[in-house]
């Protein structure tokens, strides 16, 4: 039987200290999988340290290692997209370069794929390696997103997953430039199997996602797959209008019955600042969607490849 081919995609951004660790852990796992060929697609996302040089050195020693060099930092979503675009395997696995997601699960993913699964998800059942704040905000994000948007995103499932060639080809058909990959994975569907695992602590390097970056990432997720955040301001505006009409009628009747009272500074100040804040927030939310339309209409490429190695 002809061996199947696996493409392993790993985005790298300033992971120079972890390149050796990555290959030391990945190579034995891939060699242990029976009747399979593989390629490792490493995407350097504009690293400013020696990540690229280290990756090139491995590609020169091993023809199964391919290195994609971006012209600058385009972000992880673009790096994963580039990896999917150049991959050639019947099965494709995305894994983070820090290997907090266990490479040992790859063999089980391959087995599930051979048994008929088109998508095999890795689900984190223990996130004790993350901070309490990150665990809490992640839980809030999944709950809020799945109430507001469709399709629903599996909770505690990151980018670590296997996809068949049919799934990858479907993802490549999606044209948007502002890409929220977790949502796109869920949107294409296909027959899915989930494997649970415990996420390990990071051995080398440090996370590249700040709290502000994670907030922007969550906002990207909401606005990519739901118009509810902008629609809710219609309801808020309607509710405030009704309350204002009721209050206006109350003031009119009170004036007829008791005469005109001297208006209070506090009530005027509250009304102006409250309504002004509502207007600013609603305009900002509207701007998020207009901004997405603006970026999409430019039709700029998702990424630019400076050079390919091997």
């Amino acid at each position: 039987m002809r061996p199947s081919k696996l493409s392993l995609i790993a985005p790298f951004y300033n992971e120079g200290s972890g390149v050796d660790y990555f290959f030391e852990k990945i190579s034995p796992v891939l060699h242990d999988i029976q009747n399979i060929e593989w390629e490792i697609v490493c995407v350097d996302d504009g690293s400013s340290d020696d990540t690229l040089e280290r990756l090139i050195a491995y590609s020169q020693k091993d023809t199964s290692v391919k290195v994609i060099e971006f012209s600058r930092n385009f972000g992880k979503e673009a790096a994963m997209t580039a990896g999917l675009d150049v991959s050639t395997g019947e099965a494709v696995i995305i894994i983070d370069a820090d290997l907090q997601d266990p490479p040992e699960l790859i063999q089980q993913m391959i087995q599930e794929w051979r048994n008929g699964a088109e998508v095999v998800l890795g689900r984190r059942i223990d996130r004790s390696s993350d901070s309490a704040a990150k665990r809490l905000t992640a839980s809030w994000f999944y709950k809020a997103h799945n109430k507001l948007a469709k399709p629903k995103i599996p909770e505690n499932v990151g980018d670590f997953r296997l996809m068949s060639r049919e799934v990858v080809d479907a993802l490549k058909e999606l044209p948007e430039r502002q890409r929220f990959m977790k949502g796109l994975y869920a949107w294409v569907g296909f027959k899915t199997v989930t494997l649970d695992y415990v996420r390990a602590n990071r051995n080398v390097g440090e996370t590249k996602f700040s709290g502000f970056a994670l907030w922007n990432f969550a906002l990207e997720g909401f606005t990519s797959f739901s118009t509810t955040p902008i629609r809710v301001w219609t309801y808020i505006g309607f509710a405030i209008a009704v309350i204002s009409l009721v209050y206006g009628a109350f003031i009119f009747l009170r004036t007829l019955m008791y005469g005109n009272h001297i208006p209070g500074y506090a009530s005027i100040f509250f009304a102006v600042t409250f309504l002004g804040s509502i207007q600013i927030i609603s305009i900002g939310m509207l701007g998020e969607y207009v901004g997405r339309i603006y970026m999409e209409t430019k039709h700029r490429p998702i990424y630019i490849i400076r050079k390919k190695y091997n």
Side-chain angles (χ1 to χ4, degrees), residues 46-81:
S47 298
S48 58
D49 62 0
D50 62 347
T51 298
L52 179 62
E53 289 75 15
R54 289 174 177 267
L55 292 175
I56 294 173
Y58 273 97
S59 71
Q60 291 172 342
K61 293 185 294 184
D62 187 346
T63 57
S64 66
V65 178
K66 298 180 180 179
V67 179
I68 308 299
E69 179 190 0
F70 278 178
S71 61
R72 63 169 177 83
N73 175 242
F74 285 91
K76 186 181 178 183
E77 310 296 287
M80 291 188 291
T81 300

Side-chain angles (χ1 to χ4, degrees), residues 42 56 59 66-70 82 85-86 303 305-310:
C42 303
I56 294 173
S59 71
K66 298 180 180 179
V67 179
I68 308 299
E69 179 190 0
F70 278 178
D85 288 344
V86 304
Y303 56 85
I305 295 177
R306 181 178 178 274
K307 194 171 181 180
K308 296 180 181 179
Y309 302 87
N310 197 1

Side-chain angles (χ1 to χ4, degrees), residues 166-298:
E166 292 77 14
V167 179
V168 174
D169 289 342
L171 286 167
K172 290 166 69 173
E173 291 294 319
L174 303 181
E176 51 255 64
R177 271 70 178 169
Q178 301 288 101
R179 298 176 76 80
F180 178 65
M181 294 302 292
K182 288 184 179 65
L184 296 181
Y185 295 144
W187 188 88
V188 296
F190 290 93
K191 183 179 178 181
T192 302
V193 172
T194 302
L195 301 177
D196 294 334
Y197 69 94
V198 177
R199 198 175 199 208
N201 291 312
R202 178 184 267 266
N203 284 279
V204 292
E206 58 185 19
T207 181
K208 308 304 185 298
F209 284 97
S210 64
F212 185 68
L214 289 172
W215 164 254
N216 285 333
F217 185 66
L219 191 59
E220 188 81 21
F222 287 126
T223 56
S224 292
F225 288 88
S226 175
T227 57
T228 302
I230 196 169
R231 186 180 300 141
V232 72
W233 293 106
T234 302
Y235 300 120
I236 292 175
F238 180 77
I240 292 175
V242 171
I243 294 171
S244 300
L245 287 173
V246 172
Y247 183 67
F250 168 75
I251 294 296
F252 176 74
L253 292 174
R254 190 182 67 173
T255 302
L256 289 178
M257 296 173 64
Y258 302 108
N260 188 23
H261 289 264
I262 298 175
Y265 169 80
S267 60
I268 295 175
F269 178 80
F270 173 77
V272 171
T273 55
F274 177 70
L275 291 176
S277 299
I278 291 293
Q279 290 171 341
I280 292 172
I281 294 171
S282 60
I283 291 171
M285 185 59 66
L286 179 63
E288 275 296 321
Y289 284 91
V290 173
R292 291 188 63 83
I293 296 170
Y294 173 66
M295 296 303 294
E296 292 293 337
T297 56
K298 289 184 177 184

